[in-house]
Amino acid sequence: MSESVYIHVNGRLMDLSRPQVMGIINVTPDSFYAGSRTQTEMALARRVEQVVAEGASILDIGGYSSRPGAADVSPEEEMARLRRGLEVIRRVHPEAVVSVDTFRASVARQCVEEYGVALINDISGGEMDAEMFPTVAALGVPYILMHMQGTPQTMQQAPHYDHLLRDVFLYFARKVQQLRDLGAKDIILDPGFGFGKTMEDNYALLAHLDEFGIFGLPLLVGVSRKSMITRLLGITPDDALNGTTVINTLCLTKGAHILRVHDVRQAVEAVRLVQAMQAQSSRESYIINP
């Protein structure tokens, strides 16, 4: 079985040795997957109820679309969207563990201080706001450090690496040290599938995902209905649930601790099935090698 891995959320420990499922709550009008958009309070409340009922242990709310080529929005507009969503979450499920998907330090601080948000999920790894790392350290909340080449507006314009794995590993090593030097505690790594990556890059990361264990940090993956699935299979995001579940299952076998998904029930089932297999694998190893 996996070694115990914990993060501090809302004054308690969350055990990631059993992989957790993070349900996506979109309050953007232009998310790449239309089925995830929630534009009314009623739709938001239904979405929150759904992901909690299906087994999500973390709700990830975002007010800035990070799809390739997405339009920029002001910090004020992003925060207004987030407030609307966070107020619904706190009314419907006040005890929910919430992550905010933002690269702006001021937005992250407001969400933590005003709404008790438990985690910060930064697609830019601190590259788009120099105040993010000091803010994370000061707030003392877990930080999801994602790798992205470029910005949401430019990331898919001919991404290139001298050596993909080396470049991503060096990026994480440098960023983790910067965060630790500032006093940040709980750091979660996200290799950034689809963010400044070619199709081949995405599958190379998947093939070597278990090697990220060298950092000794929790690993989050977000592949839900992304183009690495739709382009390869020649389908639309609406038809990508099966492909998403396959990739999520592979990620679980390679050490993923958190799955960030649109479709919670299917991800929770994948976790249960993989955990059942791994439990038997450990038991059989013990019998053979007492």
Side-chain angles (χ1 to χ4, degrees):
M1 296 293 287
S2 301
E3 294 182 6
S4 293
V5 179
Y6 296 95
I7 56 173
H8 295 79
V9 292
N10 293 342
R12 63 182 178 84
L13 292 176
M14 176 179 283
D15 185 1
L16 302 184
S17 60
R18 175 182 175 83
Q20 304 294 311
V21 175
M22 173 186 280
I24 297 169
I25 308 290
N26 268 326
V27 286
T28 58
D30 57 346
S31 173
F32 81 93
Y33 173 44
S36 71
R37 300 172 192 165
T38 51
Q39 295 303 300
T40 67
E41 283 199 13
M42 185 176 294
L44 269 167
R46 281 198 303 264
R47 175 63 178 164
V48 171
E49 292 278 14
Q50 177 191 16
V51 298
V52 171
E54 291 184 355
S57 53
I58 306 170
L59 309 185
D60 189 53
I61 185 168
Y64 185 110
S65 177
S66 56
R67 65 178 174 80
D72 189 29
V73 298
S74 69
E76 294 76 19
E77 173 61 22
E78 181 186 5
M79 192 62 218
R81 293 174 180 179
L82 289 168
R83 278 201 179 94
R84 181 167 58 87
L86 288 165
E87 286 170 3
V88 171
I89 292 172
R90 289 309 178 214
R91 184 176 73 247
V92 175
H93 277 284
E95 301 304 314
V97 174
V98 180
S99 165
V100 62
D101 181 357
T102 184
F103 58 83
R104 289 171 167 143
S106 62
V107 172
R109 180 179 290 278
Q110 289 177 80
C111 290
V112 172
E113 294 180 345
E114 296 178 23
Y115 294 96
V117 163
L119 303 93
I120 296 169
N121 183 10
D122 178 8
I123 62 169
S124 80
E127 290 286 329
M128 296 174 70
D129 187 338
E131 292 303 309
M132 181 59 91
F133 281 12
T135 298
V136 169
L139 292 171
V141 296
Y143 176 69
I144 300 167
L145 170 66
M146 198 189 84
H147 176 275
M148 174 173 64
Q149 188 178 86
T151 68
Q153 290 74 34
T154 66
M155 63 187 182
Q156 290 307 110
Q157 296 174 9
H160 171 76
Y161 298 88
D162 294 329
H163 188 289
L164 174 69
L165 291 172
R166 182 189 64 196
D167 291 354
V168 174
F169 274 48
L170 288 174
Y171 171 95
F172 279 141
R174 176 170 54 87
K175 296 284 188 177
V176 168
Q177 190 60 56
Q178 290 173 0
L179 285 161
R180 285 180 169 156
D181 287 346
L182 290 167
K185 299 295 193 299
D186 294 317
I187 304 167
I188 300 162
L189 302 183
D190 177 353
F193 288 102
F195 284 82
K197 315 288 193 306
T198 65
M199 176 79 71
E200 292 75 16
D201 292 337
N202 287 317
Y203 284 97
L205 286 174
L206 176 61
H208 295 275
L209 194 65
D210 52 337
E211 296 178 31
F212 285 85
I214 193 172
F215 290 98
L217 296 172
L219 185 65
L220 179 148
V221 295
V223 300
S224 188
R225 297 180 181 266
K226 285 187 174 177
S227 63
M228 65 180 287
I229 299 165
T230 59
R231 286 178 54 208
L232 186 68
L233 299 180
I235 57 176
T236 67
D238 288 340
D239 299 318
L241 175 55
N242 182 60
T244 296
T245 302
V246 171
I247 301 296
N248 277 335
T249 302
L250 292 171
C251 290
L252 289 169
T253 66
K254 288 178 169 288
H257 296 92
I258 302 173
L259 301 178
R260 182 180 182 273
V261 300
H262 298 96
D263 308 282
V264 171
R265 179 177 63 82
Q266 292 83 354
V268 168
E269 289 176 352
V271 169
R272 290 182 62 188
L273 293 168
V274 171
Q275 287 261 291
M277 176 198 70
Q278 290 174 337
Q280 290 303 314
S281 176
S282 297
R283 180 174 179 272
E284 291 300 321
S285 296
Y286 177 75
I287 291 171
I288 296 168
N289 301 299

